[in-house]
Amino acid sequence: MKLTRSYIRTIAKRDPRIEEIEICPDHQVTVWLDPKWTWNALDGNITCMTYNVEHSDDWCRDDVATFLGDVKNIELAK
């Protein structure tokens, strides 16, 4: 299933680790974490990720499974 802004909003409302979502130009959404969390602690403290959503080219649009996998792997910042 392809990722949409509304799906990201739904997950963000349920997950207190997500601090803010920013609707960006070019059919993208940036998801910001509370600074005490990171998307990937192994690569440093990454507090934001940008996803391609509806109206972007189909070949570069992110899917729900990718987003949920990223959310599942949120860790405490080191």
Side-chain angles (χ1 to χ4, degrees):
M1 189 163 93
K2 294 297 185 177
L3 194 57
T4 63
R5 288 178 189 96
S6 62
Y7 190 82
I8 292 174
R9 277 191 196 107
T10 299
I11 299 301
K13 287 178 184 177
R14 294 180 190 165
D15 194 326
R17 301 171 300 180
I18 297 175
E19 187 169 86
E20 177 184 357
I21 63 169
E22 177 184 0
I23 307 302
C24 306
D26 299 328
H27 316 297
Q28 294 180 322
V29 175
T30 299
V31 181
W32 293 87
L33 297 179
D34 178 303
K36 65 183 171 191
W37 296 96
T38 181
W39 289 101
N40 185 346
L42 298 176
D43 290 338
N45 292 333
I46 300 169
T47 57
C48 71
M49 292 281 279
T50 301
Y51 296 92
N52 294 311
V53 294
E54 69 266 33
H55 308 298
S56 60
D57 292 335
D58 225 24
W59 57 271
C60 69
R61 187 171 163 190
D62 291 304
D63 58 47
V64 169
T66 300
F67 175 66
L68 290 179
D70 290 347
V71 169
K72 181 182 176 191
N73 290 318
I74 293 172
E75 301 176 352
L76 278 170
K78 295 179 180 180

